[in-house]
Amino acid sequence: MKPLHTSILILFLWGLNVLPVQADRMEKAPKSIEKLDVIEHLDTQLPLDLKFQDSSGKPVTLGDYFKKDRPVILSLNYSNCPMLCSLQLTALVRGLKELEWSADEQYDFVSVSIDPKETYQRANLTKQKYFKEYDRAGTAGGWHFLCGRQESIDKLADAMGVQYQYVAERQEYAHPAVLLVCTPDGRVSRYLYGINFPKQTLKLALVEASEGKIGSTVDRFLLFCFHYDADSGRYAPTARNIMKIGGFATVFILTVVLIPYWRGRKGRQALETGDALTHEIPQETRHFSAPEN
C-alpha cells in the first residue's frame, strides 16, 4: 500500500478551487479532504459483477469491458466536475492521440461517474466531448462512460483504493487525479497520477498491463529496461536490468564475435608464419634425392 503523493493533494485543492492566489497566503485545507487518500491495490481483482448503466442507457456490468483480451484504462470522474476531471481527461486524450495504438483495438477506456445523480444522457454528452477531442474514426467503441448507484460506485472506489468525498457546502466532489491501467482479466496493474500523461508512460503501462499481448518486441524490451517511478509519475531506467543486458551483450560479443575473430586471426598468423619459414629455407635444402648406391 502506498500513501497519496503530495502532488495529488495539491490537485485536490486545485479541483476545489481552494489554492491561494498569492504564494504567501497558505490557507488550511478543508476538513472534508484532509483524510482523502489513494491506497494502491496492485494486482487486486476488481469486482467485475458491479452493475452500471452505459451512456446509451443500457444496463452493463464492469466485467463487460474486460472480455476483449486487451488492457483497460479505468478512471473515476463525474461530468459536472468544475475543473479537475476536465484537466485529467483532456491530458489523457492528448497522450493517447500520440500513440499509434487505438481505443477499441489495443485498449479500452472506462470512466465511472462518482456522482450517483448523473444520468446516462449527461454521461453520453461527456463521452462525445472527449471522443471528438480524440478525433480518430472508428474508435467510438473503445470509449465508455458509465453511471450507477451509490453502492456500486463505493464498492468500485474501495476496490480501486481511490477515496473521494462530497463537499456539501460547495456541491462538489473532492477526488484525486488518478488513472488505473488494468489487465484484460480485471486486475490492477498500474496507477498513473496527475494531469500529464506522456506517450512513453502510457505506452509502457499498456504493454505492462497487457502482459505482452500488445506491443512489439522493442516495446517489451523497453519495459524490461524501465520501471514505473511513482514519485516522478513516469517510467525510469532500472540500473539492475540495464546491467544484466550489458553483461549479456558483453558475453554475446565475446562468444559470437571476438572469440571467432581472434581464432581466425591466430590461424592466419600461423599460416603466414609457416609461409615465411618456408621461404627462408635455402633452395638447395628443399629437395632431396635418394643417395646413389
Side-chain angles (χ1 to χ4, degrees):
M1 295 193 300
K2 179 178 172 297
L4 178 67
H5 302 287
T6 302
S7 60
I8 305 306
L9 180 56
I10 293 174
L11 289 171
F12 282 143
L13 303 179
W14 191 4
L16 288 173
N17 298 319
V18 298
L19 281 180
V21 176
Q22 299 179 0
D24 57 349
R25 288 185 64 235
M26 185 59 70
E27 300 174 2
K28 186 178 180 180
K31 291 183 179 180
S32 58
I33 67 173
E34 285 181 347
K35 297 181 180 181
L36 292 183
D37 204 351
V38 173
I39 308 299
E40 293 193 354
H41 295 166
L42 293 172
D43 204 35
T44 296
Q45 178 69 55
L46 296 172
L48 301 182
D49 60 340
L50 293 180
K51 296 180 180 180
F52 294 97
Q53 193 175 32
D54 70 9
S55 56
S56 68
K58 176 185 175 181
V60 296
T61 65
L62 186 64
D64 291 337
Y65 307 99
F66 292 88
K67 298 179 180 179
K68 301 177 182 178
D69 202 31
R70 58 190 182 224
V72 173
I73 302 173
L74 179 63
S75 178
L76 293 179
N77 306 102
Y78 70 109
S79 295
N80 291 329
C81 183
M83 182 180 295
L84 186 55
C85 293
S86 178
L87 291 172
Q88 180 191 24
L89 295 178
T90 298
L92 173 64
V93 170
R94 288 176 179 172
L96 293 176
K97 287 176 69 173
E98 295 183 12
L99 296 179
E100 63 273 22
W101 302 334
S102 295
D104 201 28
E105 293 180 5
Q106 283 79 26
Y107 62 88
D108 283 272
F109 172 70
V110 177
S111 174
V112 177
S113 175
I114 56 177
D115 182 0
K117 296 181 180 180
E118 182 165 330
T119 64
Y120 74 86
Q121 294 94 334
R122 184 69 177 89
N124 184 56
L125 291 175
T126 304
K127 172 183 176 178
Q128 297 306 319
K129 172 186 175 181
Y130 292 106
F131 177 64
K132 184 177 179 180
E133 289 187 18
Y134 187 58
D135 192 26
R136 195 172 294 187
T139 62
W143 293 86
H144 314 281
F145 285 76
L146 312 181
C147 52
R149 296 182 178 180
Q150 190 69 65
E151 181 182 3
S152 294
I153 297 170
D154 287 344
K155 286 182 178 180
L156 178 58
D158 183 62
M160 294 170 65
V162 178
Q163 300 177 0
Y164 69 96
Q165 179 69 48
Y166 181 68
V167 184
E169 59 269 24
R170 302 182 64 89
Q171 296 184 348
E172 298 174 7
Y173 286 89
H175 63 94
V178 59
L179 300 174
L180 276 68
V181 185
C182 306
T183 64
D185 61 352
R187 290 176 292 108
V188 179
S189 173
R190 183 61 57 206
Y191 288 76
L192 303 181
Y193 295 93
I195 53 173
N196 181 35
F197 305 103
K199 172 183 176 181
Q200 178 172 285
T201 296
L202 289 172
K203 189 170 188 177
L204 292 180
L206 288 170
V207 171
E208 183 179 22
S210 75
E211 299 174 335
K213 295 177 182 177
I214 67 172
S216 65
T217 301
V218 173
D219 295 326
R220 290 187 283 274
F221 175 78
L222 288 175
L223 185 60
F224 181 78
C225 296
F226 288 74
H227 75 284
Y228 186 73
D229 183 353
D231 292 329
S232 65
R234 62 188 61 201
Y235 285 79
T238 172
R240 176 178 296 179
N241 287 352
I242 290 177
M243 289 176 64
K244 288 180 180 179
I245 293 173
F248 174 80
T250 301
V251 172
F252 177 82
I253 292 173
L254 287 173
T255 304
V256 178
V257 180
L258 293 182
I259 292 178
Y261 171 76
W262 288 334
R263 287 178 177 175
R265 186 175 180 182
K266 288 181 179 180
R268 288 192 298 271
Q269 289 177 345
L271 290 175
E272 292 172 358
T273 302
D275 290 342
L277 291 173
T278 301
H279 287 303
E280 290 176 1
I281 298 174
Q283 184 70 27
E284 59 273 12
T285 62
R286 294 181 191 174
H287 304 282
F288 298 92
S289 57
E292 295 181 358
N293 294 330

